[in-house]
Amino acid sequence: MDKQSTFDDWIELFRAWQKNLGLNQKEIEKYQFETKYDQIPQSEIEFGHYRGERKWEKILHVPDQRIRDALLHLIIYQGDTEFASVEQQRNLLNTAPSDYDFLGLMRVMCEEMRHGWQMSTLLIDHFGQTGKTEAQKMLQRCADQQQRLLGSFNQPVNHWIDFFTYAEFIDRDGKFQLTMLSTSAFAPLARSMPPMLREEYYHLLTGNTGLMRTLKAGRVPVEIIQKYFNKWIPTAYDLFGTDYSSMARWSYVWGVKGRFDERENSQEPDLDNLNEHNRKLYVKEIQTYIEAMNKIRPEGSPELYVPSTCFNRSIGEFAGKSYDPHGNLLTQEEYDLNQDEFLPSEKDLEVLRGIFKNQDWIIQVKSGA
Amino acid sequence: MNLEDGTRTLILVCQNVDCKSKGAGELMRRLEEAFKNRPEVEVRSYMCFGTCQQAPNVVLYPQRHWYSEVKLSDLSDIIEGIQQGKPVERICNKVDSGARELIYALLDAGIY
C-alpha cells in the first residue's frame, strides 16, 4: 500500500474507486463532493464523565488514548458503511423503473459517497498517518468480496424492492447512528452530523415512498415484500450492537456517542443496555412506518409486520437461533423446512423478474430528485 | 377549512438541502412570525418531501395545499390564503400528484 501524504492523494484514490465501480457517469461528475460542517447547539460535552467540559476540537485535546481509539473506530465504521452502500446499489442504475427513480438513486449514491468523503476527511485531518492509512483502506475493502466491516453492508442489493427496503430500514439505522454521533464530545465529528442527517432524510424518503408506491400499485405480492423486510430488518437490529456492550458503555462514559434520544431523555442511562435502548426506539419507529404502509396495502392482502428481534440474528443472545419472524422458537429442522416462507427465495425472485418486465409494478412519479 | 372556523393548521416547511439553499429557512422564520399569536396554527420544519427540483416546498395540512417554488414575495398571499381558507392557485399543487399523495399518506398516518 502506497503511503498517503495529503487529502489530494486520497481524492485520487477516491476517483479511481469510482471509476472501478463504473461510476463516472455525468450526473456524478457534476456533483460537488465537499466537506460540510454545521453549527452544533452545545459547545460543552453533553453526557458522561467529562460532562460540562468544552468539547474537544482537536484529537490532541482528547485526554485518553483509549478515547482516541474509540473515536477512530467509530469514524472508520461509519465511513465504511457509506462506501459499502454505493457498492451494493450501483448496478440498480441500469434497471431504474423511471427517470425519477434513476435520479433519486443517483442522488442517494452521491450523498453516500460524500458521507464517506466526510469521514475520510476526519481521519486524514485528525488521526495522523493512522487516519490516512484507514481512509485508504476504506476504499480498498469491497462489499462484492464480503470485506465490509458490518454484516448489512456485505448483503447484495439485487433489485429495486431490495433497494427500497434497504433505504427504508438500513438507512434508518444510519439516521440513528448519525444522531447518536451528533452529540459527540469530539466537535468535528458532531459538526459533521447535521448535514449528513439532512441528506440521510432524503434517502429514507426514497425508501419509504418507493415501498408505498409499490404497495399502491398492487402488483408485487405483499408476502414477498414482507420477506424483504425479514431479510433486512434483522441486519439492522444487529447494527445496534450486542447487549452488555463494553464498547457502548465506554463510548457513553467518554462522551463520544450518546443515546438516540440523548437530548430529550433526562433519565440516567442504563449503561449495560445502551444498545438495547436504541434498538427498541428503532423498532418503535419502524412500527409507525409499517403501520402507515398497511393503510395503503391492497385490500385483502396480509398485514405487513415488524419481524421479531429474535429472528435471523447474527450477533447477541439470539444469534444463530431458529426463531421464526413472529418470535416462535422452532427446531432447526422446522426452520430449515420453512425458510422459504420467511426469507426471499429463488421462486420469489422468479416471480419478481416477471413482474418487473412491466413498469406498472410501481406508481410512476413525474417530479425528479 | 380556514382559521375563522377554527381549523387547526399545520404549515410544514421543508428544511432539507435544496429547499434550504433556496431560502426555506427565511420562509419558515417569516411564517412563524406571522402566526406566532395564532395557537391554532403550527409552523413546523419537515425534513424532506422528495420534490426537491421544485424547492422550496411548503405544505398545509389538513388542507392539502402544496406550495412549491415558493418565494418570499408569495408569503403575503399564502398567509392571506390560510386565513381565508383559499389556496394561492398560481403556486398550489404544481408538484406531481403521485408525489403529493405519498406525503399525505404519511401525514394521515401521523408521521410528521
Side-chain angles (χ1 to χ4, degrees):
Chain A
M1 191 188 300
D2 293 337
K3 200 169 173 181
Q4 297 282 283
S5 295
T6 64
F7 192 63
D8 284 338
D9 292 331
W10 183 86
I11 292 174
E12 268 187 45
L13 277 182
F14 174 63
R15 298 291 182 209
W17 171 84
Q18 283 181 315
K19 195 172 174 189
N20 198 40
L21 292 181
L23 291 177
N24 43 1
Q25 301 188 44
K26 63 179 188 321
E27 288 82 6
I28 288 179
E29 283 164 7
K30 278 193 294 194
Y31 184 84
Q32 175 84 22
F33 287 99
E34 58 184 333
T35 309
K36 295 182 188 177
Y37 296 104
D38 213 342
Q39 288 186 4
I40 47 178
Q42 300 280 357
S43 53
E44 288 85 35
I45 297 172
E46 299 177 52
F47 53 89
H49 179 72
Y50 301 98
R51 185 177 181 169
E53 295 183 20
R54 199 131 183 96
K55 285 194 179 186
W56 307 312
E57 290 290 344
K58 296 193 185 303
I59 211 66
L60 289 176
H61 299 158
V62 178
D64 190 304
Q65 183 59 43
R66 291 171 298 173
I67 307 176
R68 293 183 209 122
D69 290 344
L71 282 166
L72 182 69
H73 175 95
L74 287 166
I75 294 167
I76 288 168
Y77 270 69
Q78 186 61 47
D80 193 73
T81 69
E82 310 290 357
F83 294 120
S85 65
V86 175
E87 289 160 355
Q88 290 172 294
Q89 294 159 15
R90 70 193 194 275
N91 293 323
L92 297 178
L93 290 170
N94 302 325
T95 56
S98 67
D99 288 344
Y100 173 85
D101 294 295
F102 176 87
L103 290 172
L105 176 59
M106 189 64 77
R107 173 173 165 174
V108 167
M109 287 170 55
C110 285
E111 288 174 350
E112 300 287 18
M113 283 188 267
R114 196 202 75 71
H115 297 175
W117 174 293
Q118 184 84 23
M119 293 301 101
S120 299
T121 304
L122 291 178
L123 289 172
I124 291 167
D125 283 356
H126 296 281
F127 291 88
Q129 190 54 49
T130 302
K132 293 183 176 85
T133 303
E134 291 298 336
Q136 188 178 353
K137 281 159 70 176
M138 266 201 301
L139 293 173
Q140 290 166 340
R141 288 189 286 268
C142 184
D144 296 355
Q145 275 123 49
Q146 313 280 295
Q147 292 169 342
R148 289 297 175 184
L149 300 176
L150 295 168
S152 298
F153 301 96
N154 290 311
Q155 297 265 356
V157 178
N158 292 316
H159 49 70
W160 281 78
I161 303 292
D162 242 340
F163 168 65
F164 290 139
T165 312
Y166 180 104
E168 171 78 282
F169 297 116
I170 303 301
D171 279 77
R172 195 169 298 281
D173 167 82
K175 167 193 149 182
F176 273 66
Q177 300 299 332
L178 299 177
T179 304
M180 291 190 270
L181 293 174
S182 71
T183 55
S184 182
F186 185 49
L189 178 60
R191 282 198 202 100
S192 297
M193 295 299 117
M196 288 172 72
L197 273 164
R198 277 195 293 275
E199 288 156 0
E200 200 68 41
Y201 272 103
Y202 177 77
H203 310 173
L204 298 178
L205 187 90
T206 301
N208 184 254
T209 56
L211 288 169
M212 290 173 73
R213 288 160 60 207
T214 305
L215 284 163
K216 282 197 102 167
R219 297 270 289 119
V220 177
V222 173
E223 296 88 335
I224 292 183
I225 296 175
Q226 180 66 55
K227 290 184 191 182
Y228 282 91
F229 287 13
N230 295 348
K231 171 185 172 183
W232 287 110
I233 293 175
T235 72
Y237 294 155
D238 284 344
L239 290 172
F240 285 92
T242 58
D243 305 327
Y244 309 106
S245 164
S246 63
M247 177 71 181
R249 165 189 275 269
W250 285 109
S251 294
Y252 190 92
V253 167
W254 292 328
V256 300
K257 187 176 179 184
R259 293 167 290 184
F260 175 69
D261 57 349
E262 191 61 46
R263 290 194 177 128
E264 297 80 37
N265 190 344
S266 56
Q267 288 188 340
E268 283 302 306
D270 177 355
L271 293 177
D272 286 331
N273 290 297
L274 287 164
N275 290 339
E276 188 58 19
H277 171 82
N278 296 316
R279 191 170 17 245
K280 279 183 179 161
L281 291 173
Y282 173 84
V283 172
K284 192 174 168 192
E285 181 161 314
I286 63 174
Q287 183 72 51
T288 312
Y289 282 90
I290 290 176
E291 280 169 8
M293 287 181 216
N294 277 328
K295 289 184 179 166
I296 60 161
R297 77 187 196 282
E299 206 173 311
S301 63
E303 266 199 13
L304 292 159
Y305 59 90
V306 176
S308 165
T309 52
C310 307
F311 171 70
N312 205 25
R313 298 290 303 279
S314 298
I315 64 168
E317 65 176 300
F318 303 114
K321 300 257 171 74
S322 49
Y323 285 90
D324 75 6
H326 297 284
N328 303 310
L329 183 59
L330 308 177
T331 65
Q332 191 59 50
E333 195 184 346
E334 284 169 334
Y335 183 93
D336 292 341
L337 272 170
N338 290 290
Q339 192 168 349
D340 285 357
E341 301 301 313
F342 309 149
L343 292 166
S345 63
E346 273 307 312
K347 192 173 165 197
D348 295 322
L349 268 177
E350 210 179 298
V351 167
L352 287 175
R353 279 189 208 112
I355 291 171
F356 291 155
K357 284 180 183 158
N358 296 312
Q359 300 289 37
D360 64 350
W361 66 268
I362 187 168
I363 301 287
Q364 296 293 320
V365 173
K366 292 191 191 71
S367 62
Chain B
M1 288 188 272
N2 60 56
L3 295 189
E4 299 312 319
D5 69 17
T7 301
R8 187 165 174 74
T9 296
L10 200 54
I11 305 175
L12 299 163
V13 187
C14 181
Q15 298 293 296
N16 211 305
V17 179
D18 292 279
C19 288
K20 204 90 188 273
S21 72
K22 291 181 181 176
E26 183 61 15
L27 286 175
M28 180 147 171
R29 195 194 66 74
R30 292 199 190 188
L31 284 164
E32 283 173 324
E33 181 64 27
F35 291 104
K36 66 181 179 189
N37 295 320
R38 300 300 295 255
E40 67 274 32
V41 177
E42 185 182 352
V43 180
R44 200 190 279 206
S45 65
Y46 200 81
M47 279 319 293
C48 191
F49 290 122
T51 52
C52 315
Q53 281 190 337
Q54 290 162 282
N57 290 275
V58 176
V59 173
L60 307 190
Y61 183 80
Q63 293 85 342
R64 297 184 173 218
H65 298 164
W66 190 304
Y67 295 122
S68 52
E69 298 180 277
V70 178
K71 301 181 191 53
L72 287 174
S73 54
D74 294 321
L75 277 183
S76 55
D77 290 338
I78 291 174
I79 290 164
E80 190 180 335
I82 292 169
Q83 285 163 341
Q84 294 173 359
K86 291 178 186 168
V88 181
E89 298 287 355
R90 69 174 186 278
I91 50 169
C92 188
N93 294 342
K94 306 300 180 195
V95 160
D96 180 272
S97 60
R100 297 201 308 262
E101 288 307 316
L102 292 169
I103 296 298
Y104 294 146
L106 290 172
L107 296 178
D108 289 345
I111 296 171
Y112 41 74

